[in-house]
Amino acid sequence: MAATQTKTYQNYIGGKWVDSVTGRTYQVHNPARTGQVVGEFQTSGAEDALQAVASAKGGLAVWANTPAPARAAIIYKAMEIMGRRAEELAETITIEEGKPIADARGEIKRAMNIMEYAAGEGRRMFGYTTPSELPNTVAYTVRRPLGVVGIITPWNFPMAIPAWKIAPALICGNALVFKPASATPLSAVKLAEIYEEAGLPAGVLNLVTGPGGQVGNALVESPDVKGISFTGSTEVGTELYAESAKRLKKVQAEMGGKNAVIVLSDADMDKALGGIVQGAFGSTGQRCTATSRVIVEEAVYDEFIAELVDRTSKLKVGDGIYPANDVAPLSSQNQKDKVLEYIGVGTEEGAHLAFGGRALSGGDFDQGYYVEPTIFTEVSTGMRIAKEEIFGPVLTVFKARDLKEAIEISNSVEFGLSSSVYTKDITKAYQYINTVETGMVHVNASTLGGEVHLPFGGLGASGVGAREQGTAAVDFFTEVITVYIDHAAEATERARFI
Ligand code: NDP
């Protein structure tokens, strides 16, 4: 039998698929079966990034002058192509990132939703008119594209996150350089193929794969890049924000989370448990909105823990490509090492390991990065597992006397992305909504996700700059220009100000 040949994928610059200037490539492996090579990709460097920026400047000249409804037509077309290829794309996500196929299908659906929403903005993109204080004068605002923008994305949503940055950037008339996570370049290649097939003019979307320290950094440093949309770790996001600020670049940085759910004693326990188990262990906990902490009112604490452990013990761990598996492998050896390290830290800190805690081995488990869903109880706010983003299937549980103490625990971390309370008491729900320090707040629902027509983002170490999605995305990807027109027939005396 002939050996299967590994396919080599190229960068997409100026409407052409090209090798990197470095001449080097790297391989990506399936996290569920590390012997399976997903593909070979370009290890690009700064020179490739700068070629892509130059190409984007060319693309911008065409695209910025294309009417927004005409840009929308291309995004709608791309959405249709994505729909046609949905199953293949979902499998690609599972094979290169590892997540369960049902989650990968959901990711494609989410990407299509944002494309639909962003394309709709092509017929809105409102400015406003307002009376001028001067006679015979018209005053209004209009939106212009930012220019060339850099899109730097993580591996945990290799299709949806790029889609929710790229579609809004495009509808606003920007040209872009897309630098996907090194771990998940195949989804990125397929997204670029989709826009190519949809008829996006050459140079408007450029894809460069390769290490963030070189390709991403070159985008940050380039004076021709006017804005950066980043999602990833707080560490990299903070540095990128500071470096961009020095160069007066607009930045939106979506970063980590340590999302907490509060369960009050009057909560619908079944609903709460369903949301928490899905929030903590779905997508192997590798979501920025994953549930990482649960704070339970003491009256129901013991009952809650018993049921939580029981439900968690029924989760089936395995290769995400099989729909029967609930929890898939972690996405890389690094992720596995990091999660196991935190489990060790939690044990050393004195938290009680109530469930899981081991790397899984034997049979198919030996081929991938599998760790059991893990629950720590008796956690206190000073512990590292209570404060730091673990980004894996590890849930920490706290006991609280009442809502007030529960909110204090919830707010005790530097992150502030998403949060939730389960209660039937409307007064308590509002008390929570008004005091919890997160950018997204849920009542009787899990910490996960968000809808594409609403702003997405967090406070503190979870995010900085304009929110993503919804109309907030248009605010980020455009500059607002204020126009004054004096249409008087003759010169008039005008106030002198500013
Ligand atoms: P990073 O923040 O390192 O990577 C995110 C993106 O930034 C990738 O495309 C990466 O490229 C790029 N990048 C890395 N360094 C630079 C740089 N100096 N300049 C510009 N771009 C850069 O996250 P990791 O993938 O390393 O994950 C580490 C941890 O971050 C996770 O364990 C998790 O805790 C957190 N994380 C949080 C996410 C969230 O959604 N909140 C998403 C992903 C990670 P490359 O891949 O080539 O390094």
Side-chain angles (χ1 to χ4, degrees):
M1 203 172 94
T4 328
Q5 208 167 0
T6 302
K7 184 164 177 191
T8 300
Y9 296 89
Q10 295 170 298
N11 289 332
Y12 184 62
I13 298 178
K16 295 194 169 60
W17 293 95
V18 294
D19 288 338
S20 71
V21 176
T22 66
R24 286 184 288 121
T25 58
Y26 71 101
Q27 288 190 341
V28 170
H29 299 257
N30 179 346
R33 299 177 187 282
T34 52
Q36 182 188 349
V37 181
V38 171
E40 186 115 12
F41 299 89
Q42 305 301 311
T43 312
S44 314
E47 206 178 322
D48 298 287
L50 295 180
Q51 280 186 6
V53 171
S55 151
K57 278 179 81 175
L60 180 68
V62 176
W63 192 240
N65 289 314
T66 303
R71 293 177 207 146
I74 290 180
I75 299 173
Y76 278 127
K77 180 93 188 293
M79 181 188 77
E80 281 165 27
I81 297 166
M82 186 175 277
R84 198 183 71 216
R85 294 179 62 176
E87 192 54 23
E88 167 221 333
L89 297 172
E91 282 175 16
T92 299
I93 292 173
T94 294
I95 288 166
E96 77 171 346
E97 198 272 351
K99 69 177 62 176
I101 188 73
D103 290 355
R105 288 181 184 131
E107 185 172 342
I108 298 299
K109 182 88 177 44
R110 177 48 50 99
M112 290 172 66
N113 289 158
I114 190 74
M115 289 157 98
E116 180 192 38
Y117 176 80
E121 282 299 310
R123 290 199 182 269
R124 289 184 289 267
M125 202 105 28
F126 302 126
Y128 63 88
T129 57
T130 181
S132 167
E133 63 183 31
L134 301 170
N136 298 313
T137 299
V138 174
Y140 67 96
T141 68
V142 66
R143 291 180 184 277
R144 270 194 209 151
L146 263 187
V148 173
V149 294
I151 305 287
I152 302 179
T153 57
W155 42 263
N156 61 333
F157 284 93
M159 194 64 78
I161 292 181
W164 84 44
K165 294 177 186 293
I166 289 173
L170 290 178
I171 197 63
C172 294
N174 300 285
L176 56 97
V177 179
F178 171 25
K179 202 284 295 173
S182 292
T184 51
L186 185 53
S187 299
V189 165
K190 293 193 174 184
L191 189 55
E193 282 173 6
I194 286 170
Y195 274 110
E196 180 186 32
E197 187 185 337
L200 196 65
V204 178
L205 185 159
N206 304 275
L207 168 71
V208 182
T209 61
Q214 272 113 68
V215 179
N217 202 43
L219 298 179
V220 172
E221 288 181 357
S222 166
D224 291 326
V225 174
K226 303 300 179 195
I228 303 266
S229 182
F230 166 88
T231 301
S233 63
T234 300
E235 195 187 355
V236 172
T238 306
E239 184 64 21
L240 182 146
Y241 185 65
E243 288 303 313
S244 299
K246 281 189 213 159
R247 295 164 175 87
L248 303 179
K249 271 187 219 312
K250 218 170 162 184
V251 172
Q252 58 179 187
E254 292 303 337
M255 305 180 286
K258 192 73 187 170
N259 312 300
V261 172
I262 294 176
V263 181
L264 296 183
S265 51
D266 71 332
D268 177 327
M269 250 340 131
D270 187 50
K271 203 170 176 186
L273 283 154
I276 289 163
V277 171
Q278 173 61 17
F281 305 121
S283 288
T284 325
Q286 298 177 126
R287 284 176 163 129
C288 50
T289 55
T291 304
S292 159
R293 299 179 292 153
V294 185
I295 307 153
V296 188
E297 209 169 9
E298 60 189 0
V300 290
Y301 184 84
D302 292 339
E303 170 201 342
F304 174 84
I305 298 290
E307 189 61 27
L308 175 69
V309 168
D310 182 56
R311 290 201 187 200
T312 305
S313 68
K314 290 181 178 138
L315 295 174
K316 203 162 174 317
V317 184
D319 186 342
I321 206 74
Y322 302 117
N325 291 329
D326 306 301
V327 181
L330 287 152
S331 69
S332 65
Q333 184 67 49
N334 271 353
Q335 277 295 110
K336 182 179 173 186
D337 292 346
K338 184 178 168 196
V339 168
L340 290 174
E341 191 186 326
Y342 271 111
I343 291 171
V345 167
T347 311
E348 279 163 30
E349 287 178 317
H352 172 65
L353 188 57
F355 186 80
R358 294 170 309 160
L360 289 164
S361 57
D364 283 355
F365 289 137
D366 289 336
Q367 296 184 49
Y369 309 120
Y370 294 96
V371 175
E372 283 179 303
T374 297
I375 300 170
F376 279 109
T377 57
E378 293 166 41
V379 179
S380 57
T381 51
M383 295 178 180
R384 282 182 60 200
I385 58 164
K387 295 191 286 195
E388 297 173 16
E389 184 178 50
I390 299 174
F391 222 62
V394 180
L395 184 62
T396 55
V397 188
F398 303 70
K399 191 190 284 184
R401 278 187 308 280
D402 52 18
L403 176 62
K404 184 169 175 293
E405 191 189 25
I407 294 174
E408 280 166 14
I409 296 172
S410 186
N411 289 347
S412 67
V413 296
E414 60 171 350
F415 297 105
L417 188 57
S418 179
S419 61
S420 166
V421 69
Y422 284 87
T423 181
K424 292 181 192 134
D425 184 328
I426 190 77
T427 305
K428 288 184 175 171
Y430 269 104
Q431 193 180 336
Y432 172 80
I433 292 166
N434 293 334
T435 48
V436 73
E437 291 164 5
T438 58
M440 293 174 291
V441 182
H442 300 265
V443 176
N444 295 322
S446 111
T447 55
L448 300 181
E451 299 186 25
V452 299
H453 51 297
L454 288 152
F456 181 98
L459 312 179
S462 290
V464 67
R467 293 282 187 271
E468 298 197 273
Q469 306 186 56
T471 51
V474 173
D475 291 336
F476 178 73
F477 283 113
T478 56
E479 292 285 15
V480 174
I481 309 298
T482 308
V483 183
Y484 299 97
I485 303 172
D486 176 348
H487 58 83
E490 289 162 8
T492 46
E493 183 61 25
R494 298 196 160 236
R496 294 165 193 268
F497 43 44
I498 304 192

